[in-house]
Amino acid sequence: SPDLAAFANGVMIRYLDFNDGFVSLTHGAGHPSDTIAALLAAAELTERSGRDLITATVLSYEVFCKIADTFDYLGSGVDHSTITGFATVIGASRLMGLSPEQMVHAIGITVGGNTAIRQGRADTLSNWKAFAAADASRKSIFSAQLAQSGMTGPGSVFEGRLGFFNLISHKPTAPLQLGEPYGIRRAFTKRFPLGQFSQTVAQAAVEARQFVRDPNEIQEINIRVSRSAIKIMADSPDKWRPQTHETADHSIPYAASLVLMYGRIKPEYYEEPYLHDQRLLDLVSRVKCMPSDEADRSEHEFNLCELEIVLKSGERKTFRVEYHRGHFKNPMTDDEMEEKFSAMAQKHLSADRVDSLLCKLWALESVPKVGELIAATRA
């Protein structure tokens, strides 16, 4: 069914943490690429073109990014998958041909019934971290189907007496300023398969590894990042001794140590035997994460990281990264994007099919039906 197809798409988009990221003006963070899960299902269902999919994607990103800019969802304890639902239902409704009135009802159904809390991203992380946004996409496309079939949704779902503003945000959200500059232009690509607050940490560790010949020479690793980064990715002992894949790929100490130990990060490093590799864990134990006032001041623009290596010899050196590779002010090249794509796809498709799929993606605007793209991804 379309809603379960959106759910499956969402899990596959999300699971390796190679998705995109967005840092809002309210200092919240999220992944607007999650919305594409339902857009793919809706576009396939209605036989839409690649150009239609691009238009709906820009629309969904716009809603996601501009809501994130005006609503401090991290401060309210609401999970960003809630905003994924808001954005997704609008893009999917457009692809499915809903009227404006039907779209209002679809929004009411989505907002009224699908607000998520952030506990799924606290303490030891479970599978649900990667499934929450997929579930938001599932519910959104189902909401659009219900509204298209005539079901009405709650009115005044934002400003009503028991609406979103009064019960969740506790204050009105400023009117959205949709349009130029488009939010999608401020989204960034992840160079490494880990949480977005660790992108600059991993890049700083790549640079630091040229300074360290042997990880055993390291006495201390001091990492200065924003308080938001620490709250999400260095907030508890679990981040120094991760027991699950999800906790490991959202751990600043583990990410820095992986790069210093192996020179890169691969998804398998979040599984056994690495999670209990004593040599690696010894290195993780030498990591200290400290808040940086400068990083706090700049976090709406970039995730500043200052990584200091202190050797047993007493020598020390600091590596500073502001805009990680893949940030919209330090974008990856087309070749780097192809390299990243091929590394992920070649595990499931033959080399010739990877090349064929890549050609379709680069020419997405000319693809007559999105179903052709879906067919090209089937293993």
Side-chain angles (χ1 to χ4, degrees):
S1 60
D3 60 323
L4 291 183
F7 182 77
N9 290 342
V11 173
M12 290 189 285
I13 284 173
R14 195 69 159 79
Y15 206 80
L16 290 181
D17 239 310
F18 246 140
N19 51 343
D20 72 358
F22 178 81
V23 178
S24 73
L25 300 179
T26 60
H27 308 308
H31 310 283
S33 57
D34 288 326
T35 64
I36 297 172
L39 303 184
L40 286 170
E44 183 180 17
L45 178 69
T46 54
E47 298 188 329
R48 294 285 188 163
S49 69
R51 186 181 181 87
D52 293 332
L53 176 61
I54 292 171
T55 302
T57 299
V58 173
L59 174 59
S60 291
Y61 269 65
E62 187 68 357
V63 174
F64 183 106
C65 297
K66 298 302 173 64
I67 289 178
D69 278 343
T70 58
F71 168 46
D72 180 14
Y73 52 93
L74 286 180
S76 70
V78 171
D79 188 63
H80 58 72
S81 63
T82 300
I83 300 180
T84 302
F86 296 177
T88 297
V89 74
I90 294 173
S93 293
R94 177 187 172 89
L95 287 167
M96 293 166 63
L98 269 68
S99 69
E101 182 181 5
Q102 290 173 328
M103 193 179 294
V104 169
H105 287 302
I107 294 170
I109 294 168
T110 297
V111 178
N114 303 310
T115 298
I117 60 174
R118 282 193 61 80
Q119 182 57 32
R121 300 178 200 283
D123 306 319
T124 297
L125 301 182
S126 68
N127 297 143
W128 189 249
K129 178 187 74 69
F131 283 50
D135 191 51
S137 291
R138 176 184 70 83
K139 292 173 178 175
S140 293
I141 200 167
F142 187 57
S143 297
Q145 287 184 293
L146 292 175
Q148 192 172 39
S149 298
M151 180 176 285
T152 59
S156 302
V157 73
F158 288 103
E159 68 275 25
R161 180 170 55 89
L162 299 177
F164 190 87
F165 292 155
N166 286 325
L167 295 185
I168 305 298
S169 66
H170 303 296
K171 59 181 179 181
T173 296
L176 301 187
Q177 301 301 313
L178 300 179
E180 292 282 3
Y182 288 107
I184 197 169
R185 295 187 178 275
R186 287 166 45 215
F188 60 79
T189 305
K190 291 184 177 184
R191 184 69 183 90
F192 303 97
L194 43 78
Q196 64 193 55
F197 285 106
S198 282
Q199 295 296 312
T200 49
V201 174
Q203 189 160 326
V206 168
E207 297 175 13
R209 200 167 188 270
Q210 302 172 16
F211 171 68
V212 181
R213 292 186 299 273
D214 182 350
N216 291 323
E217 298 175 355
I218 299 174
Q219 181 71 36
E220 294 178 11
I221 305 164
N222 299 316
I223 300 176
R224 293 174 176 83
V225 290
S226 69
R227 286 170 173 80
S228 294
I230 291 174
K231 182 179 179 179
I232 293 173
M233 302 190 68
D235 61 329
S236 65
D238 303 67
K239 300 303 193 299
W240 273 261
R241 287 293 185 273
Q243 300 298 307
T244 66
H245 181 129
E246 292 80 7
T247 305
D249 69 24
H250 267 54
S251 164
I252 285 175
Y254 194 78
S257 300
L258 281 178
V259 176
L260 290 170
M261 179 72 73
Y262 302 112
R264 57 181 177 173
I265 297 180
K266 297 162 58 175
E268 51 262 40
Y269 292 168
Y270 302 131
E271 309 287 351
E272 296 290 358
Y274 299 96
L275 289 180
H276 294 94
D277 183 328
Q278 194 56 51
R279 183 165 171 260
L280 175 61
L281 292 178
D282 286 344
L283 185 59
V284 175
S285 69
R286 295 174 226 162
V287 176
K288 295 179 181 178
C289 295
M290 293 160 282
S292 162
D293 292 338
E294 183 183 2
D296 286 346
R297 289 192 296 269
S298 63
E299 67 177 350
H300 68 281
E301 183 178 359
F302 54 79
N303 293 320
L304 172 64
C305 172
E306 292 183 319
L307 187 149
E308 180 189 44
I309 300 292
V310 181
L311 300 182
K312 293 177 180 178
S313 65
E315 189 178 1
R316 61 179 62 206
K317 190 170 183 179
T318 298
F319 302 84
R320 178 185 172 102
V321 175
E322 296 178 354
Y323 299 99
H324 66 82
R325 194 66 170 163
H327 190 281
F328 60 90
K329 291 190 176 181
N330 183 23
M332 294 166 60
T333 65
D334 288 354
D335 287 343
E336 287 173 330
M337 291 291 286
E338 288 193 7
E339 177 189 356
K340 172 180 170 180
F341 170 81
S342 297
M344 298 170 68
Q346 67 187 7
K347 298 178 182 178
H348 308 287
L349 301 175
S350 61
D352 61 325
R353 291 192 62 197
V354 170
D355 291 342
S356 176
L357 177 55
L358 191 57
C359 288
K360 285 184 181 294
L361 290 169
W362 281 127
L364 179 58
E365 189 173 5
S366 302
V367 172
K369 292 184 179 180
V370 169
E372 296 179 16
L373 183 66
I374 301 295
T377 67
R378 291 197 178 99

